[in-house]
Amino acid sequence: MPSTAGKPIPRATYRVQLNADFGFDRTAEIADYIARLGVSHLYASPYMKARPGSTHGYDIVDHNALNPELGDEGAYRRLVEALKRNGLGQILDFVPNHMGVGGADNGWWLDTLEWGPDSPYAGYFDIEWESDRRYLQGKVLVPMLGDQYGAVLESGGLELRFDAAAGCFAVWAYGTHKLPVRPGDYVMVLGTDHPDLERIGDAFANLAVAQPHQRNRAAALKAELAALVAERPDVAQAVERRLEAFRGEPGDLESWSRLDALIARQNWRVAYFKVAADDINYRRFFNINELAGLRMDEPELFDVAHRFVLRLVEDGTLDGIRIDHIDGLYDPKGYCCRLTQATGTPFYLVVEKILARHERLREDWPIDGTTGYEFANLMGGLFVDARGEEAFSRLYAGFIGDRTPFEEVVRLAKIRIMESEMASELLVLAREAARIARSSPRTADFTANILHQALKEVIARFPVYRTYVDGGKPSELDRRDIDWAVAQARRAEPGPDGSVFDFVQKLLTTDLVGEPRSGYSRQRVIRFAMRFQQYSGPVMAKGLEDTAFYRYNRLVALNEVGGHPDHFGVTVSAFHRANQDRLKGWPHAMLGSTTHDTKRGEDTRARLYALSEMPEEWERQLQAWSRLLRARRGDVEGTAPPDRNDEYLFYQLLLGAWPAGFTGADPDRLDPQAMTEFAERIVGAMTKSMREAKVRSTWASPNEAYEGAVIAFIHDALDVTRRNAFLEAFLPFQAALARAGMVNGLSQTLLKLTCPGVPDIYQGCELWNLSLVDPDNRRPVDYAQCSRLLDEVEGLLEQGEGAIATLLDRWQDGAVKLAVTRRILALRAERPDLFGRGDYTPLEATGSRAEHVVAYARCLEDQAVVVAVPRLVATLGPAPDWADTAIPLPRGVRWRNALTGAVLDGGTP
């Protein structure tokens, strides 16, 4: 953990997702609002130049330029000035692991396609140029086609074009993806029909004689060709005739043979996107072909990619950086060390890191903590009633007809990923492991196939996203996780010979080269172990978060990034211990409750947590709703789509995301247009769930018949143009659950704003956030409405005692949550040292409702704040009697309620 001396530690942050519709100027307009809210820093999504049309900014194509879709340099400066004028600092989300490729915007990638391994940028990307597949030797696979290569070629989807201004040729896929032609092959295009083109073509064909200056020579020839085309119509016409020679007739494959021959000679192989699963030879961000991994461990690339962002730190524009997907990097610790040493200006640094339940953030990383996924799940667990787990498991298994435990669901999901979408990367690892094995007679018989089986079984059971072996002595934490995974893999049935696991264990821990004269290459063993780590993380992410989380729906509020669906509830004592540990080790870690990556918004989850308190009632409602909807659709046997697991999920999504403004309404008073819009949100979330689960449908091969039937089921369930018995049964239960969810949501807000750490508010979450999985959670925020409510809240807060309580009667508009947020952020501003470094002391409630209270004190010298929130409130009813329940406070001390202004003498009930 780095020193905080001189470092600008945020008091609280406000996350904004920038896009073409909400760029620099629009963000500048809300600077006054978020300052009034009480945060200290804007926390901005990536705003470096991304691929055109990006809705999130993570597909960066230039780390050293602003995204023009967000505004120009002037607009950016206006944003910076607006922030400073309102006393706000800025934290930027930075993306070091990957870049957006495809399209025609990434200069490094295009140069790599044009020049192959000879490109000065080829080493920036993680490309395996020496592939075991002969047809990929010296080439990079470009899996951007929507159909088989031959079908796209025959249909005219690939076209040779000439850039007259630059004097260069490229093949374009669908008019979108630019694939530069090797300069040495321009001779094939220019031909011999025109003397000037023949002369220039011959010069291109002999670029090798200019070695090592062939790039400069090629640039000069391109400029000469561009000038000739611009000045002489006959040359321009000749070039057009040559292009025509590479065009065929749609439907006549043979007529495209000349273009096919040209493509075959390039440094790239354009292919059907599904080919990536088997043949991909560049590291991707997870399994996304359009995001290519970067070798950020290369010093030259590090310096180039961080030039702009570090300048913003040095000139005071940025106070902090959030590092996206730290586990994707080759050497996360080394990267963080280099980043913090790259400038003499101290800055706040947090990383996006998902921790397993038993895992701790590495204490030797020079960072301030994580972005808070673990806190969101820790806090949420307080509102899950662990006593209901057995009943919940029984009713879920009974409803869907499947009792597969979550651990097995995850294992099977990870195997599914390794055998399909990320199969190629595992094959590459297995081949490299086999090469290492052949270095010694003791292991020479371990073939690539045997090692492939062993590695797959180990990764399928890996208990963390990745380890951090880096060439030094492996830590005990890394050994523990590797040893556990290998021990579990040995039990696989059927599995490879057990001796191969001894080799794999030593390979992953680098013990193979732990002694001199091992016979193995130290560099290759270490590189393998570190590359393995870069693979195990994406497999866990895709297998756990993006597959198992959509298959196992027992209580989907637990299916959250960094969450553990098989862990039902968090004890109050465990919550306190975690907060004390954070204060001791990572006092400035970010505390998140909703992010751009969360599967469901914080208040969606808050409602669903309450289901854990009423398993019997939940089961009764489920059965009743299912009978009503299936009878309405004539499905007497209950076998039509959706399947029972998707149906079970559907009801939870409805309960969680049901708009607050609809709560308590009669079915016949619901606006049909508004309901249709809500239904479309549910359709989006359900469609994503079905495809991510990969059971009935997938992204690569959507099952249109099944998906269509599910969509019809959704619209039928939410149809208010006629009497709807389902909604009549659904709405009373939803209203009761929403009330409990409201209390849970306020409790979460208070906890996040007062626990040790830096609270982060995701855009719009100062009001109710009832969002579903992205892109639903990136819907525009109505800041005009937010500002109006804030005006009203500030007026009420000035009135003093009791005013804020009136907002509970109209909780649906979110003003009560805004009031809590505004007041506690003001308190943090009044007492920054208390919340920044004050002690954390658990307080134990007494009385008959003690188990329904979480309480603690933050103390520093003569300052103290006591925090108490209710939990498990669904079973207490809408007007709970707290009777004899109390939190003992020191006698003789007067306390002021920060929310109401009421004064209380310590020691009184």
Side-chain angles (χ1 to χ4, degrees):
M1 185 179 67
S3 168
T4 58
K7 182 183 295 188
I9 301 298
R11 185 174 68 248
T13 61
Y14 190 92
R15 168 75 180 208
V16 173
Q17 291 292 116
L18 286 81
N19 55 55
D21 295 323
F22 202 95
F24 298 135
D25 281 331
R26 290 288 302 279
T27 306
E29 291 173 2
I30 66 168
D32 170 69
Y33 166 76
I34 62 177
R36 287 170 56 207
L37 191 62
V39 303
S40 63
H41 285 72
L42 170 73
Y43 166 22
S45 63
Y47 50 60
M48 276 58 181
K49 185 178 180 181
R51 288 189 59 185
S54 175
T55 60
H56 45 72
Y58 288 92
D59 43 3
I60 288 175
V61 296
D62 188 343
H63 287 86
N64 293 307
L66 294 170
N67 187 344
E69 295 188 355
L70 306 181
D72 58 15
E73 181 71 27
Y76 180 68
R77 283 296 143 203
R78 288 192 292 273
L79 168 61
V80 173
E81 290 165 6
L83 295 175
K84 291 184 176 180
R85 189 166 56 249
N86 285 280
L88 295 169
Q90 186 187 160
I91 295 168
L92 177 65
D93 194 342
F94 187 75
V95 187
N97 174 68
H98 55 268
M99 292 185 80
V101 297
D105 308 284
N106 189 326
W108 294 353
W109 183 253
L110 294 176
D111 195 89
T112 298
L113 296 183
E114 182 175 9
W115 292 93
D118 294 330
S119 168
Y121 308 110
Y124 289 2
F125 300 99
D126 236 340
I127 300 171
E128 185 191 23
W129 294 103
E130 298 300 320
S131 173
D132 282 358
R133 303 187 187 283
R134 182 174 298 178
Y135 51 85
L136 282 178
Q137 281 288 327
K139 296 178 182 286
V140 58
L141 186 74
V142 185
M144 302 295 180
L145 303 182
D147 201 348
Q148 301 289 339
Y149 166 74
V152 176
L153 178 69
E154 184 177 12
S155 69
L158 296 168
E159 179 186 12
L160 180 65
R161 294 182 181 179
F162 176 63
D163 184 336
C168 58
F169 293 95
V171 175
W172 286 75
Y174 307 119
T176 300
H177 301 292
K178 182 180 180 181
L179 304 166
V181 172
R182 287 192 326 135
D185 290 329
Y186 279 27
V187 64
M188 290 180 63
V189 181
L190 296 173
T192 59
D193 298 345
H194 191 285
D196 286 313
L197 296 186
E198 181 181 13
R199 174 181 56 79
I200 295 176
D202 182 61
F204 274 113
N206 288 278
L207 283 173
V209 301
Q211 181 73 21
H213 307 295
Q214 64 266 47
R215 287 177 62 87
N216 293 337
R217 177 62 175 147
L221 290 171
K222 290 176 182 178
E224 181 182 356
L225 179 58
L228 278 172
V229 169
E231 296 167 4
R232 293 175 49 186
D234 63 313
V235 175
Q237 292 168 5
V239 170
E240 181 55 37
R241 287 195 299 272
R242 293 302 303 164
L243 292 175
E244 188 64 32
F246 287 83
R247 298 185 183 117
E249 292 293 328
D252 181 1
L253 182 60
E254 182 60 29
S255 67
W256 297 92
S257 60
R258 184 171 292 187
L259 179 59
D260 180 41
L262 177 66
I263 289 173
R265 295 177 57 87
Q266 302 313 303
N267 295 309
W268 41 265
R269 178 178 181 257
V270 64
Y272 186 25
F273 76 91
K274 292 184 179 181
V275 171
D278 294 325
D279 287 358
I280 198 76
N281 63 340
Y282 62 89
R283 185 173 62 86
R284 301 167 290 175
F285 173 72
F286 298 160
N287 62 338
I288 303 174
N289 298 338
E290 293 80 12
L291 296 176
L294 292 171
R295 298 177 61 191
M296 201 52 75
D297 51 297
E298 290 294 328
E300 177 186 314
L301 172 58
F302 179 95
D303 292 341
V304 171
H306 292 80
R307 187 170 57 229
F308 182 43
V309 71
L310 289 176
R311 187 168 76 243
L312 294 179
V313 169
E314 289 166 353
D315 69 14
T317 300
L318 292 181
D319 286 333
I321 301 175
R322 178 261 199 193
I323 300 301
D324 177 66
H325 191 47
I326 191 72
D327 276 349
L329 298 175
Y330 185 68
D331 179 12
K333 175 187 172 183
Y335 171 83
C336 292
C337 289
R338 185 176 185 112
L339 186 61
T340 55
Q341 295 165 5
T343 174
T345 305
F347 61 95
Y348 179 67
L349 179 62
V350 290
V351 299
E352 184 202 28
K353 164 66 187 167
I354 297 173
L355 297 164
R357 283 191 62 220
H358 70 279
E359 187 180 13
R360 289 178 175 270
L361 187 61
R362 301 304 167 100
E363 296 178 356
D364 57 351
W365 288 13
I367 63 175
D368 293 292
T370 73
T371 53
Y373 292 135
E374 69 279 2
F375 176 77
N377 288 282
L378 171 79
M379 177 175 64
L382 284 174
F383 305 98
V384 176
D385 191 344
R387 295 169 299 187
E389 180 172 15
E390 184 177 346
F392 232 84
S393 297
R394 176 191 53 75
L395 76 87
Y396 175 54
F399 190 85
I400 70 169
D402 187 348
R403 298 183 180 276
T404 305
F406 180 68
E407 181 181 11
E408 181 64 6
V409 173
V410 174
R411 187 187 72 83
L412 293 174
K414 291 173 74 174
I415 287 176
R416 166 73 164 74
I417 295 298
M418 289 186 284
E419 290 181 345
S420 55
E421 300 158 53
M422 299 188 70
S424 181
E425 292 91 338
L426 183 57
L427 290 171
V428 170
L429 282 174
R431 290 196 295 265
E432 179 58 23
R435 294 187 191 108
I436 294 171
R438 290 195 292 271
S439 301
S440 170
R442 293 188 180 90
T443 55
D445 286 343
F446 292 144
T447 65
N449 183 53
I450 291 172
L451 287 162
H452 182 273
Q453 294 179 58
L455 290 170
K456 182 170 69 174
E457 295 297 343
V458 169
I459 293 171
R461 295 163 174 80
F462 223 64
V464 292
Y465 277 68
R466 63 167 287 171
T467 47
Y468 299 95
V469 174
D470 60 6
K473 183 179 179 181
S475 71
E476 289 306 311
L477 297 175
D478 289 333
R479 286 191 179 279
R480 173 197 62 188
D481 292 327
I482 292 170
D483 291 350
W484 191 91
V486 171
Q488 296 298 311
R490 288 180 189 276
R491 304 172 185 173
E493 291 291 343
D497 184 85
S499 62
V500 72
F501 289 109
D502 296 329
F503 172 74
V504 167
Q505 188 169 24
K506 292 178 180 178
L507 182 57
L508 298 183
T509 59
T510 69
D511 286 349
L512 275 182
V513 290
E515 300 294 334
R517 298 184 297 278
S518 67
Y520 301 99
S521 164
R522 176 175 176 79
Q523 290 296 319
R524 294 185 75 170
V525 168
I526 292 173
R527 179 165 176 77
F528 178 89
M530 295 178 76
R531 291 296 297 272
F532 172 90
Q533 295 170 154
Q534 282 183 292
Y535 181 68
S536 68
V539 170
M540 176 72 92
K542 294 302 297 180
L544 176 68
E545 296 173 45
D546 292 344
T547 304
F549 276 10
Y550 293 96
R551 291 182 177 181
Y552 186 83
N553 296 320
R554 182 176 65 168
L555 180 61
V556 295
L558 304 179
N559 296 21
E560 195 48 84
V561 180
H564 313 284
D566 55 339
H567 186 63
F568 210 83
V570 170
T571 64
V572 174
S573 59
F575 177 75
H576 289 320
R577 283 196 303 273
N579 285 329
Q580 291 171 319
D581 289 345
R582 188 183 321 104
L583 179 61
K584 180 180 178 181
W586 306 99
H588 307 303
M590 197 172 272
L591 306 181
S593 47
T594 296
T595 76
H596 59 287
D597 277 331
T598 43
K599 307 292 187 185
R600 278 157 280 277
E602 59 194 63
D603 297 304
T604 307
R605 299 194 307 271
R607 284 183 183 175
L608 295 177
Y609 294 144
L611 286 177
S612 68
E613 301 179 60
M614 52 182 87
E616 292 79 11
E617 179 61 22
W618 168 230
E619 184 173 21
R620 282 193 294 272
Q621 296 291 340
L622 274 174
Q623 299 294 351
W625 299 341
S626 182
R627 284 194 299 270
L628 286 168
L629 277 176
R630 290 188 178 276
R632 176 174 170 137
R633 297 175 59 79
D635 179 23
V636 178
E637 300 297 325
T639 56
D643 69 22
R644 302 286 276 183
N645 197 32
D646 286 337
E647 184 183 0
Y648 186 90
L649 170 65
F650 167 66
Y651 298 131
Q652 290 186 77
L653 297 187
L654 274 191
L655 287 169
W658 191 262
F662 294 180
T663 299
D666 293 329
D668 56 358
R669 294 182 179 273
L670 291 170
D671 177 56
Q673 179 59 36
M675 284 298 293
T676 298
E677 293 172 0
F678 176 61
E680 287 302 320
R681 289 179 54 208
I682 299 293
V683 165
M686 285 294 296
T687 300
K688 181 165 186 172
S689 176
M690 289 184 283
R691 294 181 182 180
E692 295 284 20
K694 306 168 190 66
V695 175
R696 302 288 185 179
S697 190
T698 67
W699 290 107
S701 300
N703 184 335
E704 295 180 2
Y706 180 78
E707 290 184 6
V710 173
I711 292 171
F713 184 90
I714 294 169
H715 281 291
D716 201 25
L718 299 178
D719 180 9
V720 294
T721 61
R722 53 178 176 151
R723 186 182 172 218
N724 191 321
F726 162 69
L727 287 179
E728 291 173 359
F730 172 84
L731 288 176
F733 181 77
Q734 189 282 326
L737 192 75
R739 181 78 186 188
M742 177 269 292
V743 177
N744 287 347
L746 293 177
S747 294
Q748 285 189 138
T749 300
L750 189 55
L751 293 174
K752 181 178 71 172
L753 297 177
T754 56
C755 280
V758 176
D760 171 54
I761 300 170
Y762 183 70
Q763 59 180 29
C765 284
E766 60 273 31
L767 304 182
W768 302 123
N769 183 280
L770 300 169
S771 63
L772 299 168
V773 71
D774 68 281
D776 190 70
N777 61 11
R778 294 200 297 267
R779 287 176 297 142
V781 177
D782 185 349
Y783 281 108
Q785 171 69 1
C786 290
S787 185
R788 286 192 296 270
L789 281 176
L790 184 56
D791 290 341
E792 183 180 353
V793 161
E794 288 179 331
L796 284 171
L797 289 173
E798 290 176 359
Q799 294 177 22
E801 187 171 345
I804 197 172
T806 63
L807 296 176
L808 285 170
D809 295 331
R810 43 174 275 206
W811 66 266
Q812 289 91 338
D813 67 4
V816 65
K817 186 181 180 185
L818 179 63
V820 171
T821 302
R822 172 69 181 84
R823 182 64 194 99
I824 303 306
L825 286 176
L827 186 63
R828 288 186 70 99
E830 294 165 11
R831 302 171 183 266
D833 291 339
L834 171 64
F835 287 101
R837 55 189 179 89
D839 292 338
Y840 178 97
T841 304
L843 299 177
E844 186 173 349
T846 61
S848 57
R849 305 289 196 195
E851 66 174 352
H852 294 274
V853 177
V854 182
Y856 51 88
R858 303 296 310 276
C859 304
L860 180 67
E861 299 170 350
D862 61 345
Q863 302 180 67
V865 170
V866 170
V867 179
V869 301
R871 63 186 288 260
L872 307 181
V873 298
T875 54
L876 298 180
D881 177 9
W882 291 97
D884 57 345
T885 306
I887 301 167
L889 297 175
R891 292 184 180 276
V893 178
R894 304 193 79 192
W895 298 83
R896 179 175 58 87
N897 188 316
L899 295 176
T900 68
V903 175
L904 176 71
D905 290 325
T908 61

